[in-house]
Amino acid sequence: MIRLGLLGLAIALTLGGCGGDGGERTSSRGGVHTLVIGSSNQPDRINPLVSTSAISTDMENLVFMRLVDWGPPPDLALEPRLAVSWEIADDRRSLLMHLRRDVFWTDGKPTTAEDVKFTYDRALDPAVPFPNRAAIKGIEQVEVVDPYTVRFVYGEPQWEPLLPAQDPAIMPKHLIESIPADQMMESGFGRHPVGNGPWIFREWISEERLVFDANENYCDGRPGFDRLVIRVIPEDTALRTELLTGGVHVYDRHPNKFYREDSKDPNLQFFRASDRGYVYLAWNGRNPLFEDPRVRKALTLATDRQAIIDAFRDGFGKVATCPTFAEDPAYDPSIVPFPFDPAAASALLDEAGWEQRDADGVRIRDGLRFEFTFMLIANNTISEEIATMLEQEYRKLGIATKVEFFEWTVYVGRLNAKDYESTILARRGDFIYDAESVFHSRSIDEAYNDTSFGTAVTDSLIDLAKSTADRTIRNGIWHQFFRELHALQPITPLYVSETSYPVRRDVVADAQIDIRGPYVRVHEWHPVTR
């Protein structure tokens, strides 16, 4: 079955003009205008039904179209993409969507309501590990009304009836329906995606580069560049050197420690925006070391978060209290961060039964040493620096730590399987906050609930927020949820951050980057002409 699916993909790649002969495409302007973006990570796969990382989502948005997607700031409202218009029922229990008729897969087949139904049926199938299932679980049925009209039927009134239409991106039914649902994760489609978006996938060399060609038939107009290359360079200094010397034209998340110096370079234009991210220490709740909230709070008190911001982000950032970005209306600015207080941390550990120490000075309880491993992504400099600092600080309290490094794909696999003790993570927030996939007990076995956290109180607050249509009231409920989370500390929030995005002025004539990230509008950019 999988081989048949891959055969279909091979045909589609050839018909879609993705470079089956390996040759260069020639621009009507003369030559091939290539834009090179540097990234420290590569996607785990490019398949909206099973991908889990932020960089995977970025790559999916190059290749696929969503029914609706986030518009520009300041409104950041959901806007038409594949869907051109819609009607929400007065009782908020159904959504009728009318599709564009000028959208085609790169093999020439039209994108229709059958593709929409297939995509959502697969996303709702328990055999498919769709990571954002919590956002669409209210869908009871997807109905094809006609080839270009689809109806979502909800089991109960929806708090945001349009939100389920934003994720996942729509997939080509005719190319992947032969892949069994329980084999979607391993299927070759994630390495050879065929889409209907502004860019056509051409090549992926692991840990080196991904290559995309401009889609000449994209419904909103051909991209300004002929080719887009994503170079994977894990080490910050090496990627920065490539940017400064012209081997890379855009750095998708420039380290703030280089900003003051690099912003003086006349060849670089910098865009600064929230990256919608928060960085945190994840404590695996399945590990007996981290079961007690007093222990988790002690670890937070033992973590000098401001020192981390000052040392490794050149002061750019803010100590975090809520697991979302600071610009999110759901964020509760009234929560005061726990201070750096090793003495209070030590007292809490004693109270939790960890007062005894072995000959090495490591705390013990019931024969168990308080020692654990930080699982980190290989060549992620800032995570390594943070872990090194924490190793020194925690050791003073009688906690022993070490670090293990893994390549990105191995790291993601272990994280999703909860096969780790602690890690340093950055998570990108959505524009409408939803904690279910990350902190609800219903999601403990799902990919995004990496700490296996959930309590009756926090579950009830999540459920209440997601049954409240009024956004002001809902945000107040989220504030209650954040205060509960703050008391329990299933994670140690480190900081919320602003990120700089440098673009080479001698390559890109009209770059624009906002809070949605550097990839969202790249198809609108044009090369500098000389």
Side-chain angles (χ1 to χ4, degrees):
M1 297 287 282
I2 293 179
R3 289 195 185 95
L4 289 174
L6 290 173
L7 177 61
L9 293 178
I11 295 171
L13 285 167
T14 303
L15 293 173
C18 290
D21 60 356
E24 293 283 316
R25 293 166 62 254
T26 302
S27 168
S28 59
R29 295 182 290 271
V32 175
H33 293 287
T34 299
L35 178 67
V36 182
I37 300 179
S39 179
S40 59
N41 295 319
Q42 72 168 0
D44 52 297
R45 53 189 60 79
I46 309 176
N47 181 336
L49 289 172
V50 292
S51 301
T52 59
S53 63
I55 188 66
S56 293
T57 300
D58 290 331
M59 298 300 100
E60 290 160 9
N61 289 337
L62 300 175
V63 177
F64 299 101
M65 292 182 68
R66 301 171 187 273
L67 289 166
V68 296
D69 213 348
W70 305 107
D75 294 337
L76 294 168
L78 287 170
E79 295 184 342
R81 291 294 185 268
L82 178 57
V84 67
S85 64
W86 52 82
E87 294 99 47
I88 298 171
D90 291 340
D91 62 2
R92 292 176 172 254
R93 296 189 62 162
S94 69
L95 170 67
L96 188 70
M97 307 204 85
H98 306 281
L99 309 184
R100 295 179 63 149
R101 296 169 181 257
D102 60 346
V103 179
F104 296 86
W105 303 107
T106 54
D107 62 357
K109 303 283 187 183
T111 302
T112 71
E114 291 290 346
D115 297 305
V116 175
K117 176 176 171 55
F118 170 81
T119 300
Y120 277 84
D121 285 349
R122 280 294 176 94
L124 289 163
D125 188 335
V128 175
F130 178 54
N132 202 24
R133 188 173 288 115
I136 64 169
K137 68 181 180 62
I139 298 174
E140 193 172 77
Q141 187 176 356
V142 180
E143 302 173 348
V144 174
V145 178
D146 64 45
Y148 294 97
T149 308
V150 64
R151 178 183 287 109
F152 290 85
V153 179
Y154 302 124
E156 57 188 25
Q158 293 296 291
W159 60 308
E160 289 283 353
L162 195 56
L163 187 58
Q166 192 272 332
D167 191 35
I170 304 307
M171 307 278 279
K173 175 183 177 180
H174 64 290
L175 293 179
I176 61 174
E177 64 180 332
S178 63
I179 301 173
D182 61 356
Q183 296 180 30
M184 186 63 68
M185 180 77 81
E186 295 78 22
S187 77
F189 186 87
R191 297 282 305 191
H192 302 278
V194 177
N196 52 9
W199 300 95
I200 299 172
F201 171 83
R202 175 173 181 174
E203 179 184 55
W204 182 350
I205 300 177
S206 288
E207 308 298 337
E208 184 177 330
R209 68 176 181 268
L210 295 93
V211 182
F212 304 85
D213 284 338
N215 185 353
E216 303 282 351
N217 300 311
Y218 178 52
C219 58
D220 285 331
R222 180 195 191 281
F225 280 85
D226 303 307
R227 178 160 295 162
L228 175 64
V229 176
I230 313 299
R231 287 189 59 192
V232 181
I233 306 174
E235 207 280 312
D236 290 342
T237 303
L239 182 43
R240 177 196 183 213
T241 299
E242 288 295 313
L243 172 73
L244 297 177
T245 57
V248 161
H249 309 141
V250 185
Y251 193 157
D252 73 351
R253 275 170 186 80
H254 184 260
N256 282 297
K257 63 184 178 181
F258 300 138
Y259 174 75
R260 296 185 195 278
E261 181 177 353
D262 292 354
S263 62
K264 300 173 185 175
D265 190 326
N267 293 313
L268 299 178
Q269 178 182 13
F270 275 82
F271 297 87
R272 292 194 66 82
S274 166
D275 61 5
R276 293 157 46 202
Y278 61 96
V279 178
Y280 62 98
L281 303 177
W283 312 115
N284 190 338
R286 302 185 183 198
N287 188 307
L289 290 176
F290 308 120
E291 290 176 341
D292 191 329
R294 292 172 296 182
V295 169
R296 300 193 298 262
K297 182 178 178 181
L299 289 164
T300 298
L301 289 165
T303 302
D304 193 344
R305 295 179 282 179
Q306 189 59 53
I308 289 171
I309 294 169
D310 293 340
F312 309 130
R313 295 193 59 81
D314 200 18
F316 290 101
K318 174 184 175 184
V319 174
T321 56
C322 305
T324 186
F325 56 104
E327 295 80 5
D328 187 340
Y331 192 95
D332 186 353
S334 71
I335 298 177
V336 179
F338 289 120
F340 175 54
D341 191 341
S346 181
L348 271 177
L349 289 171
D350 289 347
E351 181 184 317
W354 290 96
E355 68 272 15
Q356 308 246 344
R357 304 196 185 211
D358 64 13
D360 296 325
V362 176
R363 291 177 182 266
I364 56 173
R365 187 187 69 182
D366 300 329
L368 179 65
R369 281 168 55 94
F370 204 134
E371 59 182 349
F372 64 89
T373 299
F374 283 112
M375 180 181 75
L376 300 181
I377 302 166
N379 298 308
N380 188 302
T381 305
I382 190 168
S383 292
E384 183 176 359
E385 290 171 335
I386 291 171
T388 300
M389 173 187 281
L390 295 180
E391 180 180 12
Q392 297 168 357
E393 293 298 331
Y394 291 174
R395 192 66 180 83
K396 297 173 186 176
L397 285 176
I399 297 172
T401 67
K402 61 180 180 178
V403 175
E404 280 190 90
F405 297 98
F406 297 91
E407 294 302 322
W408 173 250
T409 51
V410 178
Y411 173 89
V412 170
R414 292 190 59 160
L415 183 68
N416 292 345
K418 315 296 194 293
D419 183 18
Y420 77 102
E421 293 173 329
S422 180
T423 188
I424 301 171
L425 277 170
R427 190 176 291 281
R428 184 190 297 175
D430 291 324
F431 292 116
I432 296 178
Y433 187 73
D434 181 358
E436 181 172 345
S437 62
V438 183
F439 292 114
H440 201 292
S441 59
R442 279 196 297 267
S443 304
I444 278 178
D445 293 325
E446 302 291 336
Y448 285 170
N449 192 338
D450 41 68
T451 60
S452 297
F453 177 81
T455 72
V457 173
T458 53
D459 286 355
S460 66
L461 288 170
I462 293 172
D463 293 340
L464 180 59
K466 294 188 65 171
S467 64
T468 303
D470 185 287
R471 291 187 181 181
T472 301
I473 297 174
R474 186 196 313 149
N475 287 337
I477 298 168
W478 287 132
H479 289 180
Q480 295 178 54
F481 168 77
F482 289 138
R483 287 192 285 273
E484 247 339 277
L485 215 62
H486 183 66
L488 297 173
Q489 292 290 290
I491 63 172
T492 292
L494 295 178
Y495 54 83
V496 289
S497 60
E498 185 181 69
T499 292
S500 57
Y501 303 102
V503 180
R504 290 196 63 90
R505 298 178 189 272
D506 54 345
V507 175
V508 184
D510 52 357
Q512 291 295 327
I513 299 175
D514 56 45
I515 193 173
R516 296 171 297 171
Y519 295 95
V520 171
R521 300 182 62 181
V522 71
H523 62 285
E524 300 174 2
W525 299 359
H526 295 85
V528 170
T529 55
R530 297 178 178 84

